[in-house]
Amino acid sequence: MTSELLTDIGELTTLVEPRRHDAALVIDDGRIAWIGQAAAAPDCDRRTSVEGRAVLPGWIDSHTHLVFAGDRSAEFEARMAGQDYAAGGIATTVRATRAATDAELAGTLARLRAEAERGGTTFLETKTGYGLDVETERRSAEIARAGADVVTFLGAHLVPEALDGIGMRDYLDLVTGPMLTAVRPFVDFIDVFCEEGAFDPEQSREVLLAGRAAGLGLRVHGNQLGESGGVALAVELGAASVDHCGHLSGGDIDALADSSTVATVLPACDISTRQPFAPARALLDAGATLAIASNCNPGSSYTTSMQFCVATAVLQMGLGIEEAVRAATVGGAIALGRDEGPDAVGRLRVGGRADLQLLDAPSIAHLAYRPGVPLTIGTWVRGVRR
Ligand code: NIG
C-alpha cells in the first residue's frame, strides 16, 4: 500500500492533543503513521494538499435504525400539524419491513450508509427492531451485520400486539428465547425501548439480562418521552449507553455522571418529534460522558446528518463546538466500546485507524457557524479515500 501525506491542513482536530494549525499527517497501510507540523512532514508516495482546510475524525454514529422499509412522511406531516409522537408508529414500519425482500432491506441500508459517509460518518451502529418476529429479526440482524460496523438487537422495540395478537408475557418469552437465539450470531449488543407504551423497567431488565447471559453488551432507549426509569436501569446494569435522555431528573443526571454509562443524545430526533432537547449541557457539566448520534430511522428522525446533529447541539443545546465534535466522535466510540485497543475509532492518533474527514472550511467552528451547509468534501475509511 502506498503512503499518503495530507498536508497544508489549516486546522487539525485529533481529540488527543489541542487543535493544530498548519499541520500534516501521514496515512500508511490504513493507519495514521505520523502527525505534526506541515513544515516537518516526511516524504511519502503521494502528497495531497488540502489547502488550508480542516481535518478531523470521521463521525461515529452510535445510534441508527437502518434496516427498514416504507415511508412515514404522512405521520411526520401530521406531527408537524400538531399530533404527538407515539411509539405506535413503529408498527407501520414493521408491516413494511416484514413484506420487504432481503435485497430491498440491504439496498436501503447501503443507500443510507453511503449518504452518511458522504456527510462524514466513518463508523456506524445499526439495529434490528422493525421485524418483531423471529424470522424478520434474524434476517434484519444478518443484513445489519453485512452493512454496519456494530449491530444491536432491538427485538424489544414494541410488543406487536396489534399485528400478531401476542401479549407482553408471550412476547418477552419470544424475545429472550428463540428470537435471541436466532439473531445471536449477528449481533454485538441488546437494546430495549424502556418507555410507557413499550417496556417498563422490570420487563426491560428481563430483556437486558437475557442478552447479557447470551454474551451481549447492553444499551437502552431510555427517558425519550417521559421519566421512564430507563436511565436508572441502564446505570444499575452498567449498560454501555442509554440513548435519548430527553426527560431526566437531577438524580438521573447525577447517576449518569457517577457511572460508566454513556448518555447519548439525539438532537435530530428531539427536533423531529418536538420533544424537549436532552439536557446535554447539564450532563457534561455534571461529568457524564456524552455521545451525539443521528438516530436515523423512518419515524422519529429521518436524517443521516451528523453535521446537523452537531450544529443543533451547539446552536440549541448549549455545547461548545469542540464539545459537540468530541461527543459525535469519541463519545460514540466509547458508547460502542471502540475507544481503546488496536481497532479503536473516534480520535486521530499515531498507530490508530485512519478514519477521517475533510471539511470545505478552515475550522470545525464552521460546522455550526454555517448550519445546513454540507461541509464534508472527503472521507477516508481505514486510509482509503471514499
Ligand atoms: O429511537 N424510540 C424508539 N425507537 C426509535 C423510533 C422508531 C420509530 O418511530 O420508528 C427511536 O426514536
Side-chain angles (χ1 to χ4, degrees):
M1 208 177 193
T2 52
S3 59
E4 178 176 15
L5 172 67
L6 277 192
T7 190
D8 305 322
I9 300 173
E11 181 188 82
L12 176 63
T13 303
T14 63
L15 301 173
V16 173
E17 56 174 20
R19 282 181 255 170
R20 277 179 189 260
H21 300 280
D22 306 317
L25 65 79
V26 174
I27 299 170
D28 199 358
D29 204 13
R31 298 195 170 263
I32 296 174
W34 183 89
I35 291 175
Q37 292 310 113
D43 283 340
C44 287
D45 301 319
R46 206 166 64 232
R47 181 180 189 280
T48 306
S49 170
V50 301
E51 298 172 342
R53 296 185 174 89
V55 168
L56 70 156
W59 306 125
I60 310 295
D61 195 347
S62 61
H63 184 138
T64 76
H65 305 245
L66 302 185
V67 186
F68 69 88
D71 173 275
R72 282 162 58 196
S73 53
E75 176 190 319
F76 175 78
E77 198 168 337
R79 195 156 72 235
M80 294 306 108
Q83 249 175 48
D84 280 349
Y85 173 75
I90 293 168
T92 309
T93 303
V94 171
R95 249 183 242 110
T97 303
R98 287 179 178 179
T101 63
D102 287 5
E104 285 164 347
L105 295 174
T108 298
L109 170 54
R111 174 177 63 78
L112 291 170
R113 179 158 195 163
E115 182 182 284
E117 211 171 271
R118 285 195 296 278
T121 298
T122 52
F123 194 87
L124 178 144
E125 178 266 11
T126 204
K127 300 177 215 308
T128 73
Y130 289 124
L132 308 190
D133 61 32
V134 173
E135 180 49 17
T136 320
E137 282 295 306
R138 191 206 60 75
R139 62 194 188 98
S140 298
E142 190 170 3
I143 289 163
R145 181 81 278 161
D149 299 293
V150 174
V151 181
T152 301
F153 169 46
L154 183 59
H157 202 180
L158 199 74
V159 179
E161 195 166 0
L163 300 176
D164 301 336
I166 190 168
M168 175 62 79
R169 184 62 261 160
D170 287 343
Y171 192 64
L172 282 172
D173 291 341
L174 192 67
V175 168
T176 59
M179 200 183 276
L180 177 57
T181 304
V183 300
R184 180 64 190 91
F186 309 110
V187 304
D188 309 295
F189 287 92
I190 191 165
D191 197 344
V192 58
F193 186 17
C194 182
E195 200 72 50
E196 204 178 315
F199 297 84
D200 72 22
E202 276 322 299
Q203 293 154 351
S204 300
R205 179 194 305 275
E206 186 177 334
V207 170
L208 294 169
L209 291 180
R212 173 175 281 166
L216 299 177
L218 311 184
R219 343 182 54 78
V220 177
H221 279 63
N223 299 48
Q224 176 181 4
L225 305 172
E227 290 190 23
S228 68
V231 167
L233 180 67
V235 168
E236 179 201 323
L237 296 183
S241 79
V242 56
D243 302 24
H244 284 286
C245 298
H247 297 262
L248 301 186
S249 66
D252 289 327
I253 293 176
D254 291 344
L256 282 164
D258 286 343
S259 78
S260 60
T261 300
V262 174
T264 301
V265 299
L266 308 167
C269 178
D270 297 343
I271 285 187
S272 178
T273 55
R274 295 202 169 145
Q275 287 289 311
F277 282 116
R281 179 74 267 153
L283 284 161
L284 271 187
D285 289 345
T289 303
L290 191 76
I292 293 173
S294 74
N295 189 21
C296 183
N297 76 77
S300 65
S301 184
Y302 198 9
T303 181
T304 54
S305 175
M306 288 291 283
Q307 187 189 329
F308 175 74
C309 297
V310 165
T312 304
V314 173
L315 296 170
Q316 306 271 13
M317 299 164 88
L319 262 55
I321 185 73
E322 192 166 321
E323 288 174 330
V325 166
R326 184 176 292 277
T329 53
V330 180
I334 298 171
L336 297 176
R338 294 295 294 271
D339 180 47
E340 284 171 2
D343 243 3
V345 291
R347 309 175 201 247
L348 302 183
R349 45 193 152 196
V350 173
R353 273 175 58 152
D355 289 0
L356 46 106
Q357 58 175 313
L358 171 66
L359 303 184
D360 192 11
S363 74
I364 56 172
H366 285 240
L367 291 164
Y369 178 44
R370 306 196 66 214
V373 179
L375 291 180
T376 301
I377 53 168
T379 52
W380 283 253
V381 179
R382 294 181 190 269
V384 177
R385 186 162 187 172
R386 304 297 187 105

